[in-house]
Amino acid sequence: MDDGTQDARGTHANPVPRPAVPRDAPATPPRPSRPPAAPGAHEQHPREGLAYGQLPDRRPGVAEWLDTPRPAAAPGIWRFGHRPPKAARTPDRLPSITIVGLLIPLVVALLVWSLWRQGALPYQWAPLKLFTPGDWWWGGTVSPKGMQGREAMVAYDGVFFAVLVYAVGRLGSWPDVVRHFVGRRPQPARALFAAAGALIALSLVFPGAFPGVGWDPLPVVDPVFSLIVLVSGGYGLFASQLFTDALYALITLLVVWPFARVGGWWAYARELAARRRAAADPAAPPVADLPRSQWPGLRHAGQYQAADLLAGEVAAGRMNDVDCARVERAWEAARREARPAAFTDTVLRQGAAAWTHPSGARDLPGRTVRHDLLEGQVRIGRWAGERTPRDYEGAGAALGTETLGTSLLLVGPPGSGKTRHVTGPVTEALTLQALTGGCAVVAVCAAGTPLGPDSAYDVVVRIGDPASVHDLDPYAGSDDPDEAAAFLAEALVGDLDTVGGRSAATALAQLLGPYRAVHGHFPPLPALRELLEGDPGALASLRAALSADEHAVMRRELDARMRQARSAADAGAALADRLALLDRPVFAEFFGAAGPGGRPFSLRAIAHHPLRVRVDLPERGHEEASRLITRLVLAQFHTVVRDTRRPHFACLVLDDATGAVTAESVRRVQGLRSQNAGVVLALRSVADVPEALHGPLLGAVGCRMALAGVTTWDGSRFAQAWGTEWVETKEVAEHTVFAHQPMTRAIHALRKLVTGRAVTTDAVTTRQVERERWSASQLAHEVPPGHAVLSLTGVRGEHAPPLLVDLRG
């Protein structure tokens, strides 16, 4: 069985390529030479001088790795074992100004309320008479004529009382005092103090709380009733006992609600309910108290058998971090699709090997950096520098799928560590995540680039190497001539200003469609080159094969191409010249030219399977061909990831994106975020991209990284993309003090004679100024070797400002 890899294109929908192994290698996939362990929590180590896979094996057990806390953090922070900075400690004692601020507004409010009740405030009733009809009052007085005037006065008193309470609360320090004395207390004391306050407030609000007392309670209930009487026009509503009781209940809830928030009643009630459930079932410990190695999520859902089996596998060392992340992902999918029984059945039958990757691999042969597969992160260094915000101080720097989903552009000169510090770790992380079923990765690099051994990939395409197991399908398994013509035109002439992309795609489609109609597949590149050059024999032969009536449309397409061939505006000549770069003897057995015995790999497979693919470009002497192949892979990637139903993340890593960025690819990069995909573009300089695309490219990607050694010209592009920020500056100026009094002048003269300095005073000026976050000069001259400036954007819109990263930390 060949898994469909040797079938004709278009006859097998979703082929799964075999692992990439040499021709003389055994058919079984490579297995790790050591038992599975938890390779996700490596100790700090120097990466320089280590060959691939020589990471020191000083790792905790899988259970310890699972149980390590991963608190929520800002984008780009390594969450494994992260310790968020402690918040500023709340003082044990309130400052005196807080007590004074509480008492003074309270005393003033009591005085004002007393004067108000006595009617001693000037113009006290003017607003009431202004907003009420004049026939409610006796002329020249505030004496009410009837029911409306009396009820309006009661409601007016209630409104003034509410405004007075609000003003006292705003001017005083009541919220701070309440939080200090009540909010900081542990439960149940916090809830009890709040309940006592609520009872006191209710006793002051409702009338009849103090029988026999000569003073009225707080004006809350009577003003509400009076307002309802004025709105309804009478006392008819209060004839209903149900309405009256409901009104009393509503007032009670409004009075109690602030005390419930301060006392944390709802959270405390949920906590008591959880304790009661735990006490009713002593056999099941509380899920919140179980470590992650005991699979509390499964136990909470009632899948105790699966949880016990997986916990035993972890304890016995038969699971590694890849297995744990893979099972966690399968459980999330089963919970979304409401099929926990099928999940448990698979776990009970296969244990730690459940849902193993199609290659059979459960780990990489070696690792060079630290990974946290549960969070999908890879650590690339440590945040450093004086500008680092408090949340990032001392934290590790990490990249993950949530940031790579907005695409990453990194720029650094040769030797700055683009591959060693960024593209290598990112590719390794993506290949590990592919083993969990959560990612498909395609890495394009020059032959010999250290992006991992062949056994770490399912497919390795070595363009130009006769020993290559796989070939690259130039049409990406497409059966649509227009689609194939679009990305093939982008690859061939996307970087040319003299040939339009539409005209090139039209010329290709006019040949691909008729050829496929006759032969059942798209033409090999040599045949396509002949047709583009307008070879009379090739065109006539294809025209004769389209003589049947069912090919009338294709015959018309070919006739249009034959009329345009060799005209002044024809794009065929330029396409043929570019195609000649791939029609060389070194590529004779590639791009589908090997016939039925070849193994062409279609990039479309990554849209259906979590594959690990590496494309090795020709080593030397074929720079233009390498750039053309890179553009082809980028264009195909943009096409195949359009299917948003794909459950896994897809990422393309271009270790050298020189010449690959075109206007069309920049436009498509912006849409990858919504397609659960992303690209990583590494450049030696921004000048490797056409100047007109500098701004659009930096605006299209969400993550930008400038490594040490960039030029001021490159730095200016990043400085423009990162923008400016407001900073506070202080200027200190010394001014000589000139005295006008004789005695003062004499003292100043004596002081100058003794110290040798004139008497001066300092003038401090504080201003808010707008400055660049990182200037071009700072990026070019102040970034130390082994460091980079990195800004991040998450797929949900989270932002991390451009900060300095120590890539060796």
Side-chain angles (χ1 to χ4, degrees):
M1 182 175 180
D2 59 3
D3 292 329
T5 55
Q6 297 184 11
D7 299 342
R9 285 188 294 268
T11 61
H12 198 285
N14 306 325
V16 182
R18 295 178 181 174
V21 295
R23 297 182 187 272
D24 55 351
T28 57
R31 302 287 182 175
S33 58
R34 60 178 185 273
H42 300 297
E43 298 288 339
Q44 184 66 30
H45 66 283
R47 283 182 287 186
E48 291 75 15
L50 289 178
Y52 194 92
Q54 292 184 358
L55 188 67
D57 195 6
R58 295 175 293 176
R59 300 167 295 193
V62 183
E64 182 181 349
W65 175 79
L66 279 172
D67 297 340
T68 300
R70 296 166 173 83
I77 291 181
W78 173 253
R79 294 177 56 182
F80 180 82
H82 174 61
R83 295 181 179 179
K86 295 182 179 179
R89 185 181 177 185
T90 305
D92 295 334
R93 296 174 59 87
L94 285 174
S96 58
I97 188 63
T98 303
I99 302 298
V100 173
L102 172 69
L103 295 179
I104 291 179
L106 181 60
V107 172
V108 173
L110 292 175
L111 177 61
V112 171
W113 180 244
S114 177
L115 295 175
W116 177 274
R117 295 301 300 269
Q118 297 175 12
L121 292 179
Y123 304 103
Q124 176 175 336
W125 306 107
L128 178 62
K129 297 187 66 176
L130 180 64
F131 291 100
T132 56
D135 57 358
W136 287 9
W137 318 99
W138 296 105
T141 67
V142 289
S143 299
K145 287 184 178 181
M147 175 268 297
Q148 292 91 345
R150 290 193 301 270
E151 300 298 342
M153 293 184 67
V154 175
Y156 185 54
D157 286 343
V159 171
F160 180 79
F161 180 78
V163 172
L164 188 62
V165 170
Y166 176 78
V168 172
R170 293 287 293 177
L171 295 176
S173 304
W174 291 8
D176 294 336
V177 173
V178 171
R179 282 193 296 266
H180 182 81
F181 288 106
V182 179
R184 298 173 58 201
R185 295 181 180 275
Q187 298 288 16
R190 177 182 173 185
L192 292 176
F193 272 93
L199 290 176
I200 295 174
L202 289 174
S203 65
L204 295 175
V205 164
F206 287 102
F210 299 96
V213 178
W215 54 279
D216 296 332
L218 299 180
V220 175
V221 177
D222 289 344
V224 172
F225 278 61
S226 298
L227 187 61
I228 293 176
V229 169
L230 290 176
V231 172
S232 62
Y235 299 99
L237 290 177
F238 295 98
S240 172
Q241 186 65 31
L242 178 62
F243 177 79
T244 305
D245 294 341
L247 194 58
Y248 276 117
L250 178 61
I251 295 174
T252 302
L253 290 177
L254 293 177
V255 173
V256 172
W257 178 73
F259 295 94
R261 290 195 59 185
V262 172
W265 291 358
W266 315 127
Y268 185 54
R270 288 194 296 267
E271 182 181 349
L272 291 178
R275 293 179 182 177
R276 191 175 295 108
R277 288 194 301 267
D281 187 9
V287 173
D289 297 337
L290 288 177
R292 200 165 186 171
S293 58
Q294 296 299 316
W295 303 89
L298 292 176
R299 299 182 189 276
H300 181 72
Q303 306 300 317
Y304 295 104
Q305 287 183 314
D308 291 339
L309 188 145
L310 292 174
E313 296 280 80
V314 169
R318 290 189 292 269
M319 290 186 75
N320 61 3
D321 60 340
V322 176
D323 298 329
C324 296
R326 188 180 64 250
V327 173
E328 285 265 10
R329 178 177 174 81
W331 167 243
E332 292 296 330
R335 190 173 58 178
R336 284 195 307 268
E337 300 170 6
R339 47 181 184 84
F343 171 87
T344 300
D345 180 67
T346 303
V347 170
L348 295 180
R349 285 187 292 104
Q350 301 182 17
W355 300 283
T356 303
H357 190 263
S359 66
R362 293 168 58 185
D363 200 356
L364 294 181
R367 305 190 187 185
T368 58
V369 288
R370 300 174 63 183
H371 303 273
D372 184 13
L373 296 180
L374 290 182
E375 298 297 334
Q377 288 187 322
V378 55
R379 177 164 177 153
I380 61 171
R382 181 179 295 276
W383 300 102
E386 298 178 355
R387 306 184 184 183
T388 305
R390 191 165 182 268
D391 291 342
Y392 289 83
E393 287 181 358
L399 293 173
T401 54
E402 74 282 353
T403 52
L404 294 178
T406 62
S407 299
L408 168 65
L409 173 68
L410 60 145
V411 178
S416 60
K418 295 189 297 296
T419 301
R420 182 172 69 255
H421 294 308
V422 185
T423 58
V426 167
T427 305
E428 183 178 294
L430 294 173
T431 55
L432 274 172
Q433 293 177 38
L435 294 181
T436 70
C439 175
V441 56
V442 180
V444 181
C445 60
T449 303
L451 289 186
D454 295 350
S455 55
Y457 295 89
D458 304 308
V459 175
V460 175
V461 181
R462 298 184 180 88
I463 305 296
D465 186 356
S468 177
V469 177
H470 293 279
D471 185 12
L472 181 64
D473 184 1
Y475 304 105
S478 176
D479 55 3
D480 183 357
D482 293 326
E483 179 185 74
F487 58 70
L488 198 56
E490 172 71 12
L492 293 175
V493 297
D495 61 332
L496 297 180
D497 297 331
T498 57
V499 181
R502 270 187 196 176
S503 61
T506 301
L508 286 169
Q510 290 172 341
L511 295 174
L512 295 180
Y515 192 97
R516 180 178 176 81
V518 173
H519 299 281
H521 59 82
F522 291 129
L525 296 189
L528 180 59
R529 178 187 176 187
E530 290 182 357
L531 294 173
L532 288 171
E533 290 176 341
D535 182 79
L539 291 174
S541 175
L542 183 58
R543 178 70 170 73
L546 294 170
S547 59
D549 293 340
E550 64 268 18
H551 298 319
V553 176
M554 293 301 171
R555 189 167 58 247
R556 185 174 68 248
E557 288 282 291
L558 183 60
D559 290 341
R561 173 92 290 271
M562 295 174 68
R563 288 193 300 269
Q564 296 172 5
R566 298 184 178 179
S567 64
D570 181 29
L575 290 169
D577 290 342
R578 281 302 183 91
L579 205 57
L581 295 172
L582 302 181
D583 188 17
R584 304 294 302 160
V586 68
F587 306 129
E589 298 182 1
F590 287 87
F591 306 110
R599 300 188 63 185
F601 168 71
S602 170
L603 203 66
R604 197 172 300 272
I606 67 170
H608 306 285
H609 308 287
L611 292 177
R612 303 167 295 166
V613 183
R614 195 185 75 213
V615 179
D616 288 351
L617 302 175
E619 293 189 31
R620 294 179 297 274
H622 301 280
E623 288 81 4
E624 286 299 324
S626 297
R627 295 178 181 180
L628 194 153
I629 295 170
T630 303
R631 283 198 303 274
L632 176 62
V633 174
L634 179 58
Q636 289 183 352
F637 179 81
H638 286 153
T639 300
V640 301
V641 299
R642 291 176 182 172
D643 187 3
T644 56
R645 295 172 298 177
R646 179 184 67 257
H648 57 268
F649 177 71
C651 189
L652 173 65
V653 181
L654 300 182
D655 188 66
D656 185 4
T658 303
V661 179
T662 63
E664 184 66 19
S665 63
V666 169
R667 184 184 66 81
R668 291 180 176 177
V669 164
Q670 294 176 331
L672 291 179
R673 182 185 308 189
S674 61
Q675 297 168 357
N676 195 20
V679 296
V680 178
L681 306 174
L683 295 170
R684 291 186 293 267
S685 171
V686 181
D688 293 336
V689 177
E691 185 174 359
L693 299 179
H694 290 179
L697 176 61
L698 285 165
V701 297
C703 305
R704 310 175 187 95
M705 176 181 284
L707 283 83
V710 296
T711 63
T712 52
W713 291 272
D714 291 342
S716 64
R717 299 300 184 184
F718 281 94
Q720 293 175 4
W722 284 328
T724 59
E725 62 180 345
W726 289 97
V727 297
E728 184 179 279
T729 62
K730 290 184 178 181
E731 296 180 358
V732 180
E734 288 188 355
H735 299 283
T736 302
V737 177
F738 296 96
H740 300 284
Q741 300 296 328
M743 181 60 68
T744 307
R745 283 201 298 268
I747 295 175
H748 286 182
L750 179 60
R751 180 176 175 181
K752 183 177 181 181
L753 181 63
V754 174
T755 61
R757 298 179 57 187
V759 178
T760 60
T761 182
D762 292 340
V764 181
T765 304
T766 302
R767 294 186 301 171
Q768 291 282 341
V769 297
E770 191 176 8
R771 289 183 179 176
E772 292 178 326
R773 296 179 183 272
W774 285 87
S775 67
S777 179
Q778 289 174 327
L779 291 172
H781 304 294
E782 296 184 12
V783 178
H787 290 64
V789 179
L790 172 64
S791 67
L792 298 172
T793 302
V795 293
R796 290 182 296 274
E798 311 94 334
H799 290 275
L803 302 173
L804 187 66
V805 180
D806 183 1
L807 299 175
R808 299 171 299 185

